[in-house]
Amino acid sequence: MNQYALLSTFLTTLLLSLSDAFVNNPNNFFQRDLFCGLLSHKIDRNFFQDQKYAEAFRIIDECSISGQPCDDLYDSVRYIDRSASTLYPNLDAKKELWDRAHGSWKLQMATGGGRFKTFKPVPIFAYAMIDEKNFGNGIGFNQDNIVLSLLGPHYFNDKTRSMGIGIHDMFIFSKKVTHLLPSFIYDRIGLNKGPSDFTNRKGSRMPAFTMIGASEKSLIARGGSGGIAIWTRLDKDIRPAAYGAWRDASKL
């Protein structure tokens, strides 16, 4: 046998041995070291799923910016929702999602409840705001003219991606009017209540959103009734228009 035949036989034997070890021994160092790097991708563990994630958010971003749903919107949102355990496999990934959710947002579309699979445009200007301390929301004519606003601390559970909402203050045309509210309004909207004031019985649950996904352009979350809402990021901080003298982050 000449040297080329010997070399060919050696290489064939080596490749067959490596192939057998790769397939039949999941604990060998070759498989473990090679694929641990691939499986530790920051957002996704699978290249093809990465592509689906990017395509799903491309559709979501386009719809959130335009304010108009498309045929593939619901399926795109459901893909992100159903892939949550893969997209956010640990607390670090969930913390990154929470950080992306911070900002000022305009509500664009919602399904209206857990039974519905169609997103419908929201016909009024409604906003949400998340900063380091508080969650705020309200309605107005546009981002510069806010009529009614609520503000209070948020309680984010990074294990479940759920944000509990407390309401401490009400503003009308950016003026704080909490001290002017009658007692029945306090009770009706649950002013100054925290997590310990709710029992989780039906009718006594803290208002909350579960974060589904967030990008530089869009925020997706599920409300307590199961409905899903999509916001688009505003190009300016909503707090000066919504909270006036309380706009300073140190006072919020």
Side-chain angles (χ1 to χ4, degrees):
M1 183 179 294
N2 60 40
Q3 57 181 345
Y4 297 107
L6 285 172
L7 179 60
S8 177
T9 300
F10 172 75
L11 290 175
T12 301
T13 302
L14 177 61
L15 288 173
L16 288 173
S17 298
L18 288 174
S19 177
D20 180 68
F22 184 84
V23 172
N24 296 318
N25 184 4
N27 295 316
N28 72 75
F29 77 93
F30 179 76
Q31 182 179 6
R32 183 176 64 250
D33 291 354
L34 176 62
F35 283 87
C36 277
L38 295 176
L39 292 176
S40 63
H41 191 282
K42 179 179 177 181
I43 296 179
D44 208 335
R45 297 183 180 185
N46 184 284
F47 173 79
F48 297 104
Q49 191 164 343
D50 249 4
Q51 303 307 300
K52 288 184 178 180
Y53 173 87
E55 176 62 14
F57 246 110
R58 182 191 67 79
I59 292 170
I60 294 165
D61 284 344
E62 287 183 357
C63 291
S64 75
I65 292 171
S66 69
Q68 294 298 318
C70 67
D71 292 340
D72 297 325
L73 178 59
Y74 183 80
D75 288 340
S76 297
V77 171
R78 287 296 290 159
Y79 173 78
I80 301 296
D81 193 16
R82 290 175 176 175
S83 302
S85 61
T86 304
L87 297 172
Y88 319 115
N90 51 48
L91 294 182
D92 287 342
K94 293 172 183 176
K95 177 63 166 56
E96 290 174 2
L97 169 64
W98 174 238
D99 289 343
R100 291 195 299 274
H102 283 53
S104 299
W105 305 90
K106 177 180 180 290
L107 180 61
Q108 293 285 66
M109 292 165 285
T111 60
R115 305 189 313 273
F116 301 102
K117 297 183 178 181
T118 301
F119 283 94
K120 296 183 178 180
V122 175
I124 63 173
F125 183 90
Y127 80 89
M129 182 283 301
I130 301 173
D131 64 18
E132 292 300 321
K133 298 180 180 180
N134 296 297
F135 172 82
N137 63 345
I139 58 173
F141 300 113
N142 51 50
Q143 64 180 339
D144 297 311
N145 296 278
I146 305 300
V147 178
L148 175 66
S149 301
L150 301 175
L151 182 69
H154 52 59
Y155 306 89
F156 183 66
N157 184 328
D158 52 11
K159 293 182 179 180
T160 62
R161 295 176 285 114
S162 177
M163 176 188 67
I165 300 169
I167 303 172
H168 283 192
D169 289 299
M170 178 183 289
F171 298 76
I172 295 179
F173 289 107
S174 78
K175 305 299 183 182
K176 189 175 180 181
V177 296
T178 313
H179 60 290
L180 302 176
L181 298 176
S183 59
F184 75 89
I185 296 292
Y186 266 73
D187 297 334
R188 185 70 178 270
I189 65 176
L191 277 175
N192 293 320
K193 288 188 176 182
S196 61
D197 296 307
F198 296 88
T199 63
N200 285 327
R201 294 195 307 268
K202 187 175 181 180
S204 182
R205 295 180 180 178
M206 190 172 206
F209 286 107
T210 298
M211 300 298 168
I212 295 175
S215 71
E216 286 301 311
K217 300 176 181 178
S218 308
L219 174 65
I220 317 162
R222 181 186 297 104
S225 66
I228 299 174
I230 299 175
W231 291 261
T232 189
R233 192 182 295 273
L234 292 170
D235 59 9
K236 63 169 66 174
D237 186 348
I238 198 74
R239 291 177 296 180
Y243 308 114
W246 282 263
R247 65 185 178 272
D248 186 336
S250 66
K251 299 178 182 178
L252 287 174

